[in-house]
Amino acid sequence: MIKKGITLRGIEVFEALASRGSVAQAAALTGLSQPAVSQQISNLEAAMGTALIDHSTRPMRLTAAGESFLRHSGAALTHIRLAQSELTVMDLANLSDLSLGVIDDFDNDVTPRLATLLADSMTGCRFRMVTDGSKGLIQSVQDKSLHIAIAATSGDAKSGLIEIPLARDPFVIVTPASFDGDSAALMTGRSALPFVKYAADQLIADQINNHLTRSNITLPSQFEIGSHLALMAMVARGIGWAITTPFGYCRAERFHQQLAVHPLPTPGLTRQISLFAGSDWTGPVPQNIADTMRQLLRSHMIAPTVAQLPWLSSSFEALEG
């Protein structure tokens, strides 16, 4: 039996405080007042009979008991959120036709889960799912050859489209695990380790190039790669280093033991993952799919990556739309 005083709301507040490190930021994330956040944590610690948060540090840190509790409570919240997502998707049961595009960043795990959730709830629906780059997917929604697309954006408005934010995906540096130099020095362009960049026709390449130009940084590149996994494989083999994002790193899970992730020394470079639908769409379908996708991203990509790389907790996150 669950101890008296342990509530789902209290666990959610604890998770928010653990990820943000301050009562003020946890309050902003949960929509509660700061005194209410403090009270929730006090009630939870009293119920558990131990301190979960070290309040003497700034930012606040978890105690050993708090870290253990977060691992288990986080798993419980993940299952509850996924259950909510599956129930939400049931609202799509009467849809007769849906075409959905998803960027290939999520092919490994999230897109198959999304496809099965949607298919299970739309037994009478003609359902088509495709993968492509962000530019192509957004153009397809604008051309009405797709109903909905989940794609990356640099933040510029898209004419004639509804946009629902899903996640913030900051840029990072990825090097071979064996790299023992200063990752910030790579941005000077004088490193012996070559820069491996994305093919010029990709949105991610545009964002990286524009940021480097604004920062007056020139990086000579020997390699220009159109395949994300090929690019990550080259870095894992020690051939060079790259600028990518946490979602990009997640997709290359098979190479994680051969890769190291570092903060980008020039701040401010991030991309947003959003759901796009035509502005003439009526009904809850885009929002329902967005809610489901957001939970899948949070549970299967964001949470595991932040657990591995805690310094990403304030920038790599789901966005409520």
Side-chain angles (χ1 to χ4, degrees):
M1 181 178 293
I2 296 176
K3 292 182 178 180
K4 184 178 180 180
I6 299 178
T7 66
L8 180 59
R9 188 56 163 162
I11 295 173
E12 288 181 317
V13 171
F14 170 69
E15 182 187 54
L17 185 56
S19 68
R20 292 297 186 267
S22 80
V23 170
Q25 291 186 40
L29 185 62
T30 59
L32 298 177
S33 66
Q34 293 186 37
V37 167
S38 298
Q39 188 61 55
Q40 288 283 351
I41 297 300
S42 295
N43 293 346
L44 185 60
E45 289 182 323
M48 293 298 296
T50 187
L52 302 174
I53 302 286
D54 182 355
H55 299 268
S56 66
T57 62
R58 292 295 182 273
M60 295 180 182
R61 295 183 179 178
L62 300 183
T63 63
E67 290 178 351
S68 177
F69 183 72
L70 181 64
R71 284 195 297 272
H72 296 290
S73 63
L77 286 176
T78 293
H79 288 297
I80 292 171
R81 286 166 177 158
L82 288 176
Q84 287 180 319
S85 296
E86 293 187 28
L87 291 173
T88 298
V89 174
M90 295 303 171
D91 291 340
L92 310 180
N94 295 322
L95 201 62
S96 61
D97 188 36
L98 177 65
S99 57
L100 172 67
V102 185
I103 51 173
D104 55 12
D105 299 54
F106 309 131
D107 279 354
N108 283 14
D109 194 6
V110 170
T111 299
R113 291 176 185 271
L114 179 64
T116 54
L117 284 172
L118 293 174
D120 285 345
S121 64
M122 297 188 299
T123 54
C125 175
R126 180 179 180 274
F127 178 44
R128 180 169 66 96
M129 176 179 277
V130 300
T131 59
D132 197 356
S134 293
K135 290 181 178 179
L137 290 175
I138 292 172
Q139 186 62 54
S140 292
V141 178
Q142 291 176 319
D143 295 342
K144 301 188 183 302
S145 58
L146 281 177
H147 292 127
I148 293 173
I150 294 170
T153 173
S154 56
D156 53 320
K158 302 295 187 296
S159 176
L161 299 183
I162 299 168
E163 180 176 356
I164 303 175
L166 301 178
R168 180 178 293 113
D169 192 24
F171 282 77
V172 295
I173 287 175
V174 179
T175 67
S178 59
F179 177 74
D180 59 1
D182 179 4
S183 60
L186 294 171
M187 300 292 285
T188 65
R190 296 190 296 270
S191 171
L193 192 65
F195 176 51
V196 183
K197 67 180 183 180
Y198 285 95
D201 61 343
Q202 298 181 353
L203 177 64
I204 193 170
D206 291 343
Q207 288 186 263
I208 293 170
N209 292 338
N210 291 340
H211 180 77
L212 295 176
T213 298
R214 289 194 302 269
S215 303
N216 295 316
I217 295 173
T218 301
L219 295 176
S221 177
Q222 181 181 352
F223 305 104
E224 183 175 320
I225 308 298
S227 162
H228 174 80
L229 286 180
L231 184 145
M232 289 291 102
M234 292 176 68
V235 175
R237 286 287 301 272
I239 294 172
W241 66 279
I243 298 174
T244 188
T245 70
F247 279 139
Y249 171 72
C250 289
R251 191 183 175 205
E253 184 177 4
R254 73 183 73 172
F255 302 121
H256 280 185
Q257 291 187 342
Q258 290 81 46
L259 297 172
V261 186
H262 315 268
L264 194 69
T266 50
L269 183 58
T270 186
R271 67 174 185 165
Q272 182 170 298
I273 307 301
S274 295
L275 181 144
F276 295 93
S279 58
D280 57 348
W281 191 290
T282 59
V285 171
Q287 187 65 59
N288 287 344
I289 294 176
D291 290 342
T292 300
M293 186 65 176
R294 189 181 295 113
Q295 294 293 359
L296 290 172
L297 292 176
R298 180 187 284 120
S299 302
H300 295 285
M301 299 187 81
I302 297 174
T305 302
V306 168
Q308 180 186 356
L309 304 167
W311 51 270
L312 283 171
S313 62
S314 62
S315 56
F316 185 40
E317 58 186 352
L319 298 173
E320 297 303 324

